[in-house]
Amino acid sequence: MPSVTVHKGADRKVHPGSGRRKAPPVGKGRQLEDSALVEVANLLGNRSRQRDLLIEHLHLLQDRFRGLHARHLQALAELMRLPMAEVFEVASFYAHFDIIMDGEPEPAEITIRVCDSLSCAMKGAAKLHEQLARKADGATLRVVRAPCMGRCDTAPVAEVGHAFVDSATADTVLEAARAGHTHPQIDSYSDLEDYREKGGYALLDACRAGERDAEAIVAELKNSGLRGLGGAGFSTGLKWEIVRRQAKPRVMAVNGDEGEPGTFKDRYYLERDPHRFLEGMLIAAWACDIEDVWIYIRDEYPAVIEILRREIAALAAAGMTDRVNLHLRRGAGAYICGEESAMMESIEGKRGLPRHKPPFPTEVGLFGKPTLAHNVETLFWVRDIVEKGADWFAGHGRNGRKGLRSFSVSGRVKEPGVKLAPAGITIRELIDEYCGGMEEGHGFKAYLPGGASGGILPAAMDNIPLDFDTLQAHRCFIGSAAVVVLSDADDMRDVALNLMRFFEDESCGQCTPCRAGTEKAVRLMEKPHWDIPLLEELSRVMMDASICGLGQAAPNPVLSVIRHFRDEIAAGDPS
């Protein structure tokens, strides 16, 4: 099996739309083209021109014309009564928007994105990209690198248009492209009728009928120990309690932008049982007296977006959304929008730049209103906890911990996937009991307990309970429970470099410690000899001075490798 392969040299490009990409110049005094105005006006139809729909309208243009032509951006700015500069800066921020300036060639008919994040890199993504790039003709097919697509258990992965090829080879990807298989495949899932037949929405009906008390439900969630499962780990019941104390109107923002390399649990649940999440969300809206809910789903999850469109429409047809307005929003390729305040900026139609805190979103959040921000999986558990009781959820656990955890497991195991396991399980137990052991021919060497930003631990530290608050002493954290298992086939220098390159590409560019720090760290780590004191000093600056968690956590992989695999670093140093 191949080890992680890194790209070196001047031919390396940041992901299209990276926050630091220099935008091509737009000539001053550009004249609005009548034909472009007509095209955009016809495409928008009777859709609202409100400011926060800018990204949604950019998606319409991208999907229709396979890119964002400058003339269409100018027309969109005119129709939305926005400065061209504002439209352009938003369009150039997101990776999935392709700006086409005057005189530039038309985009290829099909774009193939090859995931180059850690789990896919371990399975030969670099070779796959090279083979596809060599065979693509440029006019029909365009091949680009892309960050994690949330399908780490089927690595390597390629996206053809909006369809995915799992366990991809060059032949299977090209076959899909030539056959025109560019739309997302939606497998069978529990729709509204199925869900109601199994008792779904009975709890929500009871809440709305006055048979349930909101304060009692909040207390049940607090007693269960349910915490934010997007990574922050804040008490769910306490968050509801805080929001309930805020002035009205209050809103909710649901974070479905799980872009952390190694994470795919939210996609797993939404593609199978979306109404369990939707019911939990509607119960939260009822308990916190919220009338507007925005659901933000990453663009890499086209099947999820389509499923939610269908099922939200079914709920509306059944009269179940009369008390709440549901707004589904589509991300555009930006890992930073997994940070809650950056997500809110994106929902408002802006660049996904994290906000300074305080104030916190519970007080001043989406559109300046008190906001209940939640991860998808957190809401997924609400119904079960309220119906079965706090003791049911808290009754699971090992090694003194309480609750259940959905571990996204990928890497060198026989059976990767989402594993619902007791909180506090150890990595060794997780591998042996839930993943069928290590892949044939691979010896357990190390693991990431919490995705790209959660640090790396050696196999010798295989007895640590995996849960909130158990890993900090080892300078790691569980985050969203994205576990990537590494073996003796993996070079730890290359692993750390792959992760740092991800952070370099995904930095929003707002603050210097992160923007310049990740880039400098990559340059240092690409050298045969690591200047460890300089890397450690640079890491301290990033961790202390970055605005948000991206820059603060980006050094974790390199510091972990320095801490636990210093001998391997020295062995790879020709000096």
Side-chain angles (χ1 to χ4, degrees):
M1 300 298 292
S3 64
V4 177
T5 303
V6 298
H7 301 271
K8 300 179 180 179
D11 60 335
R12 184 179 164 274
K13 307 293 185 183
V14 297
H15 297 141
S18 168
R20 298 175 329 288
R21 189 182 68 168
K22 291 183 179 179
V26 180
K28 293 183 179 180
R30 179 187 181 90
Q31 296 299 307
L32 180 64
E33 297 181 22
D34 290 341
S35 59
L37 189 65
V38 170
E39 286 178 322
V40 176
N42 287 340
L43 185 62
L44 295 185
N46 60 1
R47 293 178 176 87
S48 171
R49 270 60 163 172
Q50 65 197 59
R51 172 65 180 78
D52 57 285
L53 290 177
L54 173 57
I55 294 173
E56 293 296 304
H57 295 342
L58 289 172
H59 274 303
L60 290 174
L61 289 170
Q62 175 77 33
D63 291 345
R64 171 64 180 82
F65 298 103
R66 303 197 304 273
L68 301 177
H69 292 81
R71 64 181 185 276
H72 290 146
L73 293 178
Q74 183 80 29
L76 182 63
E78 175 72 16
L79 291 167
M80 296 189 72
R81 297 293 187 265
L82 292 173
M84 174 60 172
E86 191 170 344
V87 173
F88 196 92
E89 72 174 8
V90 172
S92 62
F93 181 84
Y94 294 93
H96 290 185
F97 293 143
D98 300 302
I99 297 176
I100 306 165
M101 302 307 297
D102 295 338
E104 292 185 345
E106 288 294 308
E109 294 178 15
I110 297 174
T111 293
I112 297 174
R113 290 184 167 89
V114 179
C115 177
D116 68 356
S117 289
L118 182 58
S119 297
C120 284
M122 293 163 64
K123 298 290 185 175
K127 182 179 179 181
L128 174 63
H129 180 275
E130 179 186 349
Q131 292 173 335
L132 289 170
R134 190 170 60 247
K135 295 180 180 181
D137 60 15
T140 305
L141 299 177
R142 178 181 70 142
V143 181
V144 298
R145 297 189 307 113
C148 185
M149 298 176 180
R151 309 181 77 86
C152 317
D153 54 333
T154 57
V157 174
E159 184 182 17
V160 180
H162 291 299
F164 290 94
V165 180
D166 296 326
S167 303
T169 66
D171 289 340
T172 58
V173 172
L174 292 173
E175 180 182 351
R178 289 164 182 158
H181 295 158
T182 59
H183 299 289
Q185 178 180 346
I186 299 176
D187 297 324
S188 61
Y189 64 90
S190 177
D191 62 12
L192 178 58
E193 182 179 355
D194 296 333
Y195 186 72
R196 296 221 73 161
E197 286 180 357
K198 298 173 184 176
Y201 291 109
L203 177 58
L204 176 65
D205 292 341
C207 291
R208 289 176 170 177
E211 300 169 12
R212 290 279 190 162
D213 178 71
E215 291 186 1
I217 287 180
V218 171
E220 198 78 23
L221 292 174
K222 290 175 71 175
N223 293 335
S224 73
L226 179 66
R227 297 168 66 169
L229 297 173
F234 191 81
S235 166
T236 301
L238 180 57
K239 183 181 284 191
W240 289 23
E241 198 172 73
I242 292 171
V243 171
R244 281 167 53 84
R245 292 199 297 261
Q246 306 304 312
K248 297 179 184 178
R250 309 160 190 151
V251 298
M252 187 191 305
V254 178
N255 194 337
D257 195 72
E258 58 171 359
E260 181 79 11
T263 308
F264 46 93
K265 60 184 178 61
D266 290 350
R267 176 187 61 80
Y268 177 88
Y269 288 127
L270 289 173
E271 288 182 347
R272 289 160 176 79
D273 197 4
H275 284 282
R276 194 168 300 269
F277 150 71
L278 288 170
E279 183 172 12
M281 180 189 73
L282 291 171
I283 291 170
W286 165 82
C288 296
D289 200 2
I290 288 168
E291 295 182 358
D292 283 279
V293 178
W294 278 264
I295 308 169
Y296 188 88
I297 303 294
R298 66 187 310 219
D299 197 34
E300 289 85 349
Y301 290 175
V304 168
I305 293 171
E306 180 56 32
I307 288 170
L308 289 178
R309 280 180 180 151
R310 294 179 185 178
E311 299 312 309
I312 289 172
L315 285 174
M320 299 178 66
T321 59
D322 293 345
R323 305 185 190 188
V324 62
N325 303 309
L326 303 184
H327 312 271
L328 182 61
R329 293 295 170 86
R330 176 181 168 189
Y335 166 73
I336 191 63
C337 290
E339 195 276 338
E340 62 178 6
S341 66
M343 172 191 65
M344 292 175 193
E345 290 286 299
S346 189
I347 290 173
E348 293 178 8
K350 306 171 187 174
R351 294 175 295 164
L353 302 181
R355 300 173 181 174
H356 292 271
K357 301 173 185 177
F360 294 96
T362 50
E363 301 167 328
V364 181
L366 188 58
F367 302 110
K369 301 173 182 178
T371 303
L372 178 65
H374 266 316
N375 163 261
V376 166
E377 193 203 350
T378 308
L379 295 168
F380 185 88
W381 288 111
V382 168
R383 175 193 165 190
D384 281 333
I385 290 173
V386 176
E387 286 185 341
K388 299 177 182 178
D391 291 342
W392 166 79
F393 188 78
H396 296 84
R398 290 188 187 179
N399 300 308
R401 310 303 298 179
K402 295 181 178 181
L404 291 165
R405 294 288 175 269
S406 300
F407 294 94
S408 304
V409 185
S410 62
R412 310 295 192 181
V413 293
K414 285 183 181 177
E415 301 169 11
V418 174
K419 312 296 179 180
L420 184 60
I425 194 172
T426 67
I427 184 63
R428 183 65 71 176
E429 293 168 337
L430 187 63
I431 292 172
D432 292 343
E433 298 177 29
Y434 288 83
C435 302
M438 293 292 293
E439 209 175 330
E440 291 296 333
H442 289 269
F444 182 32
K445 179 178 182 178
Y447 64 106
L448 283 68
S453 56
I456 305 173
L457 293 171
M461 300 174 69
D462 62 355
N463 60 349
I464 302 170
L466 299 178
D467 196 13
F468 295 113
D469 309 322
T470 62
L471 293 160
Q472 284 87 331
H474 307 285
R475 304 181 198 181
C476 292
F477 56 82
I478 193 171
S480 58
V483 176
V484 183
V485 179
L486 307 175
S487 80
D488 45 16
D490 299 307
D491 185 310
M492 299 309 295
R493 290 166 56 101
D494 285 352
V495 168
L497 180 54
N498 177 281
L499 298 173
M500 187 60 75
R501 280 179 166 159
F502 170 80
F503 291 122
E504 178 195 13
D505 286 356
E506 295 299 327
S507 173
C508 74
Q510 180 179 192
C511 69
T512 302
C514 178
R515 180 186 67 251
T518 53
E519 184 176 3
K520 180 63 174 178
V522 167
R523 300 290 89 77
L524 291 171
M525 294 167 69
E526 286 176 334
K527 295 181 178 180
H529 170 62
W530 280 15
D531 187 336
I532 291 177
L534 184 56
L535 278 169
E536 291 176 331
E537 181 182 2
L538 177 62
S539 297
R540 283 193 298 272
V541 172
M542 293 171 62
M543 297 170 81
D544 291 343
S546 294
I547 290 174
C548 79
L550 191 155
Q552 295 164 10
N556 284 341
V558 62
L559 292 177
S560 296
V561 169
I562 291 171
R563 188 177 307 118
H564 299 296
F565 299 94
R566 190 178 288 254
D567 290 345
E568 186 169 326
I569 295 173
D573 178 8
S575 64

